[in-house]
């Protein structure tokens, strides 16, 4: 005996599941797995954003040792969804933060490389995403302070080769 089902209810359920799955991972720290995580920790320059508050989208391509933008302008309090597409043939990452955050993350990445664990290093940062060639990842962030901050690929040698830019947050 066949069990009757409502096609419309099934379609609605699939839509809800897809939406929840997409938003639940979009502001986590994809690519930064295991170990201690700060996926919900606020920083002096901002905090992980709520996907429902996104009003601004920033599309960035990573290719070679460059990002497709050098400067990004955002208003304080605005929740931004960064979409990073890796158009190159090597792994890249994007970390947003102040100079101290970038320096600390570069040290972590160098340590991970020594252990052969770049891309799988033991931390989860809400302000960083790691992207394999041909893939895209998103990062949702709310900037709570005006100022000039940075975005950079902190895989050893990448930022030093110029793979970085400025985020100007205005009042």
């Amino acid at each position: 005996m066949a069990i009757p089902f409502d096609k419309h209810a099934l379609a609605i359920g699939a839509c809800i599941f897809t939406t929840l799955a997409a938003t639940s991972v979009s502001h986590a720290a994809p690519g930064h797995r295991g170990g201690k995580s700060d996926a919900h920790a606020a920083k002096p320059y901002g905090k992980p954003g709520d996907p429902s508050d996104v009003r601004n989208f920033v599309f960035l391509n990573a290719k070679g040792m460059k990002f497709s933008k050098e400067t990004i302008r955002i208003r304080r309090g605005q929740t931004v969804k960064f979409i990073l597409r890796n158009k190159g043939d090597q792994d890249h990452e994007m970390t947003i933060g102040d100079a101290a955050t970038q320096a600390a993350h570069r040290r972590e990445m160098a340590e991970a490389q020594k252990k052969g664990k770049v891309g799988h290093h033991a931390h989860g940062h809400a302000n960083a995403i790691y992207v394999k060639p041909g893939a895209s990842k998103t990062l949702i962030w709310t900037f709570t302070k005006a100022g000039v901050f940075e975005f950079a690929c902190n895989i050893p040698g990448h930022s030093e080769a110029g793979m970085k830019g400025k985020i100007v947050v205005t009042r």
Side-chain angles (χ1 to χ4, degrees):
M1 172 183 217
I3 299 172
F5 67 95
D6 183 343
K7 291 179 187 177
H8 297 290
L10 183 61
I12 291 169
C15 288
I16 290 170
F17 174 78
T18 302
T19 301
L20 289 173
T23 58
S24 67
V25 298
S26 62
H27 70 282
H32 289 80
R33 295 175 276 194
K36 189 175 174 183
S37 173
D38 74 349
H40 301 290
K43 304 287 183 195
Y45 47 87
K47 62 184 181 179
D50 181 339
S52 65
D53 292 336
V54 171
R55 299 292 179 265
N56 190 1
F57 296 83
V58 173
F59 294 90
L60 283 171
N61 292 326
K63 187 172 183 183
M65 291 295 149
K66 289 184 75 171
F67 286 111
S68 56
K69 296 182 190 220
E70 294 179 9
T71 303
I72 299 168
R73 298 188 186 286
I74 297 167
R75 284 189 326 244
R76 183 181 57 136
Q78 197 170 43
T79 300
V80 180
K81 183 173 189 174
F82 293 91
I83 298 102
L84 178 61
R85 294 177 289 214
N86 187 341
K87 302 269 188 169
D89 57 4
Q90 57 188 313
D91 294 359
H92 290 297
E93 68 129 35
M94 182 186 77
T95 300
I96 57 174
D98 54 20
T101 299
Q102 298 295 354
H105 198 78
R106 273 192 288 282
R107 285 190 301 273
E108 278 185 279
M109 295 293 285
E111 264 315 297
Q113 186 178 47
K114 287 178 190 174
K115 296 175 183 175
K117 297 187 181 270
V118 170
H120 304 284
H121 51 294
H123 71 281
H125 294 295
N127 63 324
I129 49 179
Y130 194 93
V131 187
K132 295 279 190 190
S136 295
K137 294 277 177 91
T138 62
L139 186 154
I140 298 176
W141 195 261
T142 301
F143 289 89
T144 56
K145 181 179 176 186
V148 178
F149 306 103
E150 303 172 6
F151 63 98
C153 178
N154 289 307
I155 292 175
H158 291 210
S159 177
E160 296 82 355
M163 197 164 190
K164 57 187 171 183
K166 291 182 183 176
I167 300 173
V168 179
V169 181
T170 59
R171 295 188 183 270

